[in-house]
Amino acid sequence: MSEEIKSNGQGEESFAELFEQYSESGTDDLNVGDKVAGKVIAIDGSAVFVDTGSKLDGIVEREELLDEEGNLTVAEGDEVELYVVGKDSGGIRLSKALAGIGGLKMLEEAKEGNLPVEGKVTGTNKGGFDVEILKRRAFCPVSQIDSRFVENPEEYVGNTYEFLISKLDNKGRNVVVSRRALLMREAEAATEQFLAETKEGDEVEGTITRLAPFGAFVEIATGLEGMVHISELGYGRVQHPEEAVAVGQKVKAKIIKLDTDDKGRQRISLSMKELAQDPWDSVVTQFAEGDKVTGKVVRLADFGAFVEIAPGLDGLVHVSEISYTQRVHKPGDVLSEGQTVSVKIKSIDADNRRLSLSIKDAEGDPWLDVAEKYQEGQTVKGTVEKHEQFGIFINLEPGITGLLPKSVLSRSEKASEFEKLHAGDEATVVIGDVKSGERKISLRVGDEKDAEDWKEYAPKKKAKPSAGNSGGGLGLLGEKLQEAMKNKK
């Protein structure tokens, strides 16, 4: 405030005097309430002088341009925007907004001149906010506190804003103010200037103001927002915008479309992806065939799973490449979207933007060292997987399953014990024939003595009839059986 205002302490009278001192001489181009943009041309102990572009310089009290710590926020040459609050032969009085102690006349002049007034939100009430304006209580409807939907009214309490007086009656006892009207006014001016200077394809900077399931809104000019669709946030797959950006974050984007909706409102579509490097351009420098990497399952299909190994780089794991240890009919039976998996890169086709991946190769083929781990005659323990007509499948370790044939089991005294086993039961077996190339292991029962006896009795080749056995003979096996029957008697 000027020395005069400070000395008499009557803010109401001082501002009123400023209005009354209005003189049109030489300043027809500026009126009370006009917004002036100009450069700071001088700073002295109590005032800051601004070039208004008219015959008279503007004067704003230094105190209005101090921050909370008392430091001046402008310097000579800086651009400032202020409002005309009065004129006289000494210059044009400028202010950020009407503030301080004021009377009815000042409120009337502010309303008539469409001047912003400074107010502090002191609390909430039914339908809006209590605002202190020029030491008077005013009301601001909740719909008028901001240009966007208010989700949390409490976040406005305690803050000081500029308002326009939209209603003033009952001798100043009923004052209604609107911040939205002022924001919209400023936004319209900013939008008009922005559109005059901007076109599709231009790069802009802005601040993320809010997130929605379908994208992020970016303020690219005062009160003017553009929208980055979720598919344009980047090359990586994004389930929700919060995975890529955050409210308050500064971003750069490219304008990909400018148009208006049915109500005449401006719609600006933005893309952050178009300003980012395409990951496929550098895929061959980042990865090589044979690399083992970690990725995230981003999509499941009947024929396989798509795994993202880097933002924007998806590869296909065919259903046949999911597991060595189990038969997979549907990827969804063993994998889920969002799951982290290890994969091995089988091939890279940068031109066609294709990656072939394998989960089972990353985990390793358990049959590679089967011949070393399992030897014929070795006794091992396994777990029954299932019974079939031709035998019992017994799992020896993940991915390694052997078959105990029924023909072998029938020769064992333990046959009934094995027949009673259920899936998941433990069983002790003996390794038979190992064919790792064919991924087959035959198993036997544990009583090797019986098995050896049957080998001894098994015919080597068909016996020829002898002269003393015109009936064709029983052969070696028949003779042994006869001998065994005689001994039994």
Side-chain angles (χ1 to χ4, degrees):
M1 298 300 172
S2 67
E3 294 300 322
E4 179 184 357
I5 296 175
K6 290 180 181 178
S7 63
N8 59 30
Q10 300 297 319
E12 175 182 345
E13 295 178 2
S14 301
F15 273 111
E17 289 174 5
L18 291 177
F19 283 120
E20 291 170 356
Q21 290 172 351
Y22 169 71
S23 170
E24 297 183 355
S25 176
T27 58
D28 292 338
D29 53 339
L30 289 177
N31 296 303
V32 173
D34 287 348
K35 191 173 186 178
V36 175
K39 288 186 177 180
V40 175
I41 55 177
I43 300 174
D44 68 12
S46 61
V48 175
F49 296 87
V50 178
D51 181 3
T52 63
S54 65
K55 296 179 181 179
L56 296 177
D57 293 333
I59 304 172
V60 57
E61 298 297 332
R62 183 189 180 101
E63 290 182 4
E64 286 205 50
L65 303 177
L66 301 180
D67 59 20
E68 295 180 355
E69 298 178 356
N71 300 315
L72 190 62
T73 58
V74 298
E76 289 187 14
D78 288 352
E79 188 87 14
V80 294
E81 290 186 348
L82 302 166
Y83 290 94
V84 177
V85 296
K87 297 186 244 180
D88 59 25
S89 58
I92 301 172
R93 298 290 179 178
L94 303 175
S95 176
K96 290 171 61 178
L98 291 180
I101 302 173
L104 177 59
K105 184 177 181 180
M106 188 180 300
L107 292 174
E108 292 173 342
E109 290 170 336
K111 183 177 185 303
E112 183 179 349
N114 214 20
L115 279 171
V117 292
E118 192 175 85
K120 181 177 182 180
V121 180
T122 58
T124 61
N125 57 42
K126 185 177 181 181
F129 300 86
D130 291 323
V131 182
E132 187 180 274
I133 300 286
L134 301 176
K135 299 301 180 181
R136 291 171 179 262
R137 182 175 177 272
F139 171 72
C140 178
V142 67
S143 62
Q144 298 299 311
I145 195 69
D146 211 329
S147 57
R148 58 179 64 93
F149 178 74
V150 176
E151 295 183 359
N152 180 21
E154 292 297 330
E155 70 182 15
Y156 295 88
V157 177
N159 295 332
T160 299
Y161 304 106
E162 292 181 0
F163 298 86
L164 292 178
I165 298 176
S166 54
K167 185 177 181 180
L168 178 64
D169 55 24
N170 200 14
K171 296 183 179 181
R173 287 189 286 270
N174 183 15
V175 182
V176 180
V177 296
S178 171
R179 179 170 174 255
R180 178 184 175 86
L182 184 59
L183 293 175
M184 295 301 290
R185 189 172 77 180
E186 294 174 349
E188 289 175 4
T191 299
E192 183 177 349
Q193 181 179 358
F194 178 87
L195 296 177
E197 301 172 351
T198 311
K199 62 184 182 302
E200 291 183 6
D202 285 354
E203 180 181 331
V204 295
E205 294 186 12
T207 303
I208 303 292
T209 55
R210 54 197 172 103
L211 303 178
F214 50 83
F217 290 87
V218 183
E219 185 175 56
I220 52 180
T222 302
L224 178 63
E225 290 182 336
M227 199 271 285
V228 183
H229 190 267
I230 190 170
S231 62
E232 295 294 331
L233 288 171
Y235 283 98
R237 291 179 181 267
V238 179
Q239 298 296 323
H240 192 279
E242 65 185 11
E243 298 175 11
V245 292
V247 173
Q249 180 181 340
K250 301 289 185 181
V251 297
K252 291 183 178 180
K254 183 179 180 180
I255 298 177
I256 56 177
K257 190 173 184 180
L258 282 171
D259 62 1
T260 55
D261 61 17
D262 296 338
K263 297 181 179 180
R265 293 174 299 192
Q266 193 68 43
R267 292 193 304 191
I268 303 176
S269 299
L270 306 173
S271 173
M272 293 170 56
K273 182 169 71 174
E274 292 202 14
L275 297 183
Q277 182 183 9
D278 187 342
W280 285 97
D281 293 340
S282 59
V283 63
V284 293
T285 61
Q286 288 183 272
F287 303 101
E289 293 180 5
D291 285 354
K292 291 183 179 180
V293 296
T294 299
K296 182 176 69 172
V297 178
V298 292
R299 186 162 65 90
L300 296 174
D302 290 340
F303 53 85
F306 290 90
V307 176
E308 184 182 60
I309 62 173
L313 293 177
D314 295 357
L316 172 65
V317 179
H318 190 267
V319 65
S320 63
E321 294 293 331
I322 292 178
S323 178
Y324 278 117
T325 62
Q326 56 184 313
R327 294 180 178 86
V328 179
H329 301 290
K330 293 179 62 177
D333 294 339
V334 294
L335 299 173
S336 59
E337 291 188 6
Q339 180 180 346
T340 299
V341 295
S342 295
V343 295
K344 185 175 182 179
I345 299 176
K346 299 188 68 178
S347 65
I348 299 175
D349 185 353
D351 293 336
N352 293 307
R353 305 169 80 89
R354 291 178 181 174
L355 286 172
S356 178
L357 308 174
S358 174
I359 293 177
K360 69 180 187 181
D361 285 350
E363 295 175 345
D365 186 354
W367 283 90
L368 293 177
D369 57 355
V370 160
E372 298 176 3
K373 293 175 64 176
Y374 299 100
Q375 304 293 325
E376 185 174 359
Q378 177 183 351
T379 300
V380 296
K381 289 185 177 181
T383 303
V384 174
E385 279 191 357
K386 60 181 177 178
H387 288 257
E388 296 289 356
Q389 291 182 350
F390 48 84
I392 303 174
F393 286 98
I394 298 177
N395 181 256
L396 306 181
E397 64 175 82
I400 306 297
T401 298
L403 173 64
L404 176 59
K406 280 288 182 68
S407 59
V408 174
L409 184 61
S410 63
R411 302 171 190 168
S412 171
E413 294 181 355
K414 300 179 181 179
S416 60
E417 297 179 18
F418 276 83
E419 292 290 354
K420 294 177 181 179
L421 294 175
H422 298 90
D425 289 346
E426 187 178 89
T428 300
V429 292
V430 176
I431 299 296
D433 194 14
V434 177
K435 298 179 179 179
S436 57
E438 298 177 21
R439 296 176 180 269
K440 293 180 179 179
I441 295 180
S442 63
L443 304 174
R444 300 184 306 193
V445 290
D447 48 355
E448 288 293 320
K449 183 177 181 181
D450 290 347
E452 293 300 324
D453 287 346
W454 279 109
K455 281 186 178 181
E456 182 182 348
Y457 298 154
K460 303 299 181 183
K461 58 182 178 179
K462 190 172 183 180
K464 294 182 179 180
S466 61
N469 187 8
S470 60
L474 297 175
L476 179 61
L477 178 59
E479 292 175 2
K480 289 290 185 180
L481 287 174
Q482 286 181 341
E483 182 180 349
M485 292 296 291
K486 290 178 180 180
N487 292 337
K488 185 175 181 182
K489 292 179 180 180

